[in-house]
Amino acid sequence: MERIYKACLLIIGNEILSGRTQDANMAFLGEKLNEIGIRLDEARVIPDVAERIVATVNEVRGKFDYVFTTGGIGPTHDDITSQCIADAFAVPLILHPEAYRLMLDFYGQEQLTEARLRMAHVPEGAELVENDISIAPGYRMGNVFVMAGVPKIMQSMFSKLAPTLTGGLPMISKTLSSSAKEGEIAGDLKEVQARFAEVDIGSYPFMGKGGTGVRIVMRSTDQQLLDHCAEQVEEILKLHG
Amino acid sequence: MERIYKACLLIIGNEILSGRTQDANMAFLGEKLNEIGIRLDEARVIPDVAERIVATVNEVRGKFDYVFTTGGIGPTHDDITSQCIADAFAVPLILHPEAYRLMLDFYGQEQLTEARLRMAHVPEGAELVENDISIAPGYRMGNVFVMAGVPKIMQSMFSKLAPTLTGGLPMISKTLSSSAKEGEIAGDLKEVQARFAEVDIGSYPFMGKGGTGVRIVMRSTDQQLLDHCAEQVEEILKLHG
């Protein structure tokens, strides 16, 4: 039996919960993690409240193989993620010599404000994750990867840390779209699902300008099984489309 | 002291976690709930796994004033939300007479397949929430509101249930954008935050085609306080923009 590696994403930030900013990191990570054989198995969006961050980090780092956080590692007063990660691991927040050197090189002594220096502080024991975009690094602390919230920076950090992750087999997926109605294919679909226990068959209705219909998404780590399953689903959709 | 009403959103669905589908319900609910004085205080995306859904529902319904779920109430085999809600409340799933009548009126006896009939089943004791778009209703069970995942249907359901919710004062927000750099305004901003403890000041850097900069978002239930705070933030941004 193939080991399944599971990850949890913590999106830290009031601005996502308020509806003002639409998160763009979850879909990116869901897809990229799968490519390296890691399933995004849960995501949580939590507010910028220290006790909530500490408690959630400690809960999920025990439950999942990997935890990724986004947001809250900038220079301003509302950037409290690093202190929370340090508290969660019960270690002090320290000035990281390499992070300091990177920041000093980039900003120079005069521009390296007290606020910017905050971004060179990491929990004791953390390993830096490079940031090609805006220098201030992310880091790994145990199985927790701490990244920026700005998508472009997060993506840069993820590209650096991804090669260090261990994953299993990626899920391969196959999608069939049809104008069939869910209520009419559901019985047959259930039977196909029963025959292919190792394929995860999802049925997703859609409504748009082009009309209504359904997308059947099949996922498995086994390409042959997936192809075989898709043939049978296709038959059903042909009958009802 | 004004009572603060808090809500948690549970997004149920593998398709969001896989990155294939971008969630659109969180931002909508965050904004709409705030308009009626309820804060979206947490959101979780969980897979279509019964034990996970049951455990999460039972955890969060005790912690938040309101819980909203989206997804998993359609007619297909992967729609398991209703059975999970019933299990979470330890009640049976029953055919709801009014839901049955609605579905029968709409589909007629012949088209009311076994699969569609599943959508007329709700946990015993649930109150229906009308669905203007595709008939099959959502419902309320205790403080848990169960809605469809398709955004258009979810929005229809929310518009019906919203008048039944009790909220407090809505958060009013004010946003100032600037080309200033976070690392240069952080010190001053922290001082303003210290002076205005009842205003939540968030600093969000952005990078786009139009250049880089920062948006300062101030939120409070008190308009006067907010205006006063915004004046001081504006001064800072002028100095550094």
Side-chain angles (χ1 to χ4, degrees):
Chain A
M1 187 77 182
E2 178 74 22
R3 163 134 156 57
I4 297 170
Y5 292 84
K6 292 183 176 179
C8 178
L9 167 64
L10 293 187
I11 298 170
I12 300 167
N14 296 337
E15 77 279 21
I16 308 286
L17 288 168
S18 73
R20 202 173 303 102
T21 301
Q22 166 87 43
D23 165 72
N25 294 331
M26 194 191 307
F28 174 88
L29 273 177
E31 209 178 314
K32 292 293 175 186
L33 284 171
N34 183 54
E35 286 174 9
I36 53 177
I38 298 169
R39 314 252 173 99
L40 182 57
D41 197 49
E42 183 158 330
R44 298 194 191 184
V45 191
I46 56 175
D48 302 322
V49 174
E51 312 87 73
R52 294 280 292 279
I53 300 172
V54 174
T56 306
V57 165
N58 276 336
E59 180 192 339
V60 298
R61 74 188 173 97
K63 284 185 178 170
F64 298 90
D65 296 301
Y66 301 108
V67 173
F68 299 89
T69 77
T70 62
I73 60 167
T76 53
H77 66 279
D78 55 331
D79 289 304
I80 60 173
T81 298
S82 289
Q83 184 61 61
C84 293
I85 300 287
D87 290 349
F89 282 83
V91 298
L93 199 62
I94 58 152
L95 182 69
H96 191 288
E98 173 65 6
Y100 177 70
R101 195 192 57 74
L102 286 167
M103 303 279 291
L104 189 62
D105 278 2
F106 184 76
Y107 286 107
Q109 192 66 60
E110 206 167 308
Q111 299 286 313
L112 192 51
T113 58
E114 193 189 322
R116 284 181 176 134
L117 256 187
R118 291 188 69 203
M119 299 192 286
H121 286 75
V122 301
E124 193 171 53
E127 277 171 34
L128 299 188
V129 173
E130 213 179 314
N131 165 4
D132 273 349
I133 309 291
S134 57
I135 309 306
Y139 54 87
R140 180 184 75 78
M141 186 72 197
N143 62 341
V144 181
F145 292 81
V146 177
M147 304 187 288
V150 176
K152 213 171 143 180
I153 303 176
M154 189 279 288
Q155 291 169 22
S156 164
M157 291 176 174
F158 185 77
S159 72
K160 303 293 179 173
L161 69 84
T164 73
L165 304 175
T166 303
L169 294 176
M171 276 281 199
I172 321 163
S173 74
K174 207 154 185 164
T175 302
L176 295 171
S177 285
S178 163
S179 59
K181 291 183 172 62
E182 270 199 311
E184 289 165 13
I185 60 171
D188 290 345
L189 209 58
K190 191 178 173 180
E191 284 176 24
V192 179
Q193 177 67 87
R195 280 197 292 277
F196 292 90
E198 277 157 71
V199 179
D200 172 38
I201 307 178
S203 171
Y204 307 111
F206 60 81
M207 322 183 88
K209 282 173 191 155
T212 62
V214 65
R215 282 180 312 116
I216 307 297
V217 180
M218 291 150 285
R219 300 193 310 154
S220 173
T221 55
D222 184 328
Q223 181 74 59
Q224 253 191 311
L225 216 56
L226 195 64
D227 290 342
H228 198 171
C229 176
E231 279 168 29
Q232 299 197 11
V233 170
E234 205 158 7
E235 287 300 315
I236 298 170
L237 295 178
K238 264 188 201 152
L239 279 171
H240 295 276
Chain B
M1 188 76 183
E2 178 74 22
R3 164 135 157 56
I4 297 171
Y5 292 84
K6 292 183 176 178
C8 178
L9 167 63
L10 293 187
I11 298 170
I12 300 167
N14 296 337
E15 77 278 23
I16 308 287
L17 289 167
S18 74
R20 202 173 303 102
T21 302
Q22 167 86 43
D23 167 70
N25 294 331
M26 194 191 308
F28 174 88
L29 273 177
E31 209 179 313
K32 292 295 174 182
L33 285 171
N34 182 54
E35 285 175 10
I36 53 176
I38 298 168
R39 314 252 173 99
L40 183 57
D41 198 48
E42 184 159 328
R44 297 194 191 183
V45 191
I46 55 174
D48 302 322
V49 174
E51 311 85 75
R52 296 278 294 278
I53 301 172
V54 173
T56 307
V57 165
N58 275 338
E59 180 192 339
V60 298
R61 73 187 173 98
K63 284 186 178 169
F64 298 90
D65 296 302
Y66 301 107
V67 174
F68 298 89
T69 77
T70 62
I73 60 167
T76 53
H77 64 279
D78 56 331
D79 290 304
I80 60 173
T81 298
S82 289
Q83 184 62 60
C84 293
I85 301 287
D87 291 348
F89 281 86
V91 297
L93 199 62
I94 58 153
L95 181 69
H96 191 288
E98 174 65 7
Y100 177 70
R101 193 191 60 74
L102 287 166
M103 302 280 288
L104 189 63
D105 278 2
F106 184 76
Y107 286 108
Q109 192 66 59
E110 206 168 309
Q111 299 286 313
L112 191 51
T113 58
E114 193 187 322
R116 284 182 175 133
L117 256 186
R118 289 187 70 202
M119 299 192 286
H121 286 76
V122 299
E124 193 172 54
E127 276 172 34
L128 301 188
V129 172
E130 214 179 313
N131 165 5
D132 273 350
I133 308 293
S134 57
I135 309 305
Y139 54 87
R140 178 184 76 77
M141 185 72 195
N143 62 341
V144 181
F145 291 81
V146 177
M147 304 186 290
V150 175
K152 213 171 144 183
I153 303 176
M154 188 280 288
Q155 290 169 22
S156 164
M157 290 176 175
F158 185 77
S159 72
K160 303 293 178 172
L161 69 83
T164 72
L165 305 174
T166 303
L169 293 175
M171 276 282 197
I172 321 164
S173 76
K174 208 155 184 163
T175 302
L176 295 171
S177 285
S178 164
S179 60
K181 292 183 171 64
E182 271 198 311
E184 288 165 14
I185 59 170
D188 290 345
L189 209 57
K190 191 178 174 180
E191 285 176 23
V192 178
Q193 178 67 87
R195 281 199 292 278
F196 292 89
E198 278 157 69
V199 179
D200 173 38
I201 307 179
S203 173
Y204 307 110
F206 59 82
M207 321 184 86
K209 284 172 190 157
T212 62
V214 66
R215 283 178 312 115
I216 306 296
V217 180
M218 292 150 283
R219 301 191 311 152
S220 173
T221 55
D222 184 327
Q223 180 75 59
Q224 254 192 311
L225 215 56
L226 195 64
D227 291 342
H228 198 169
C229 176
E231 279 168 29
Q232 300 197 10
V233 171
E234 203 159 9
E235 286 302 315
I236 297 170
L237 296 178
K238 264 187 205 156
L239 278 171
H240 296 275

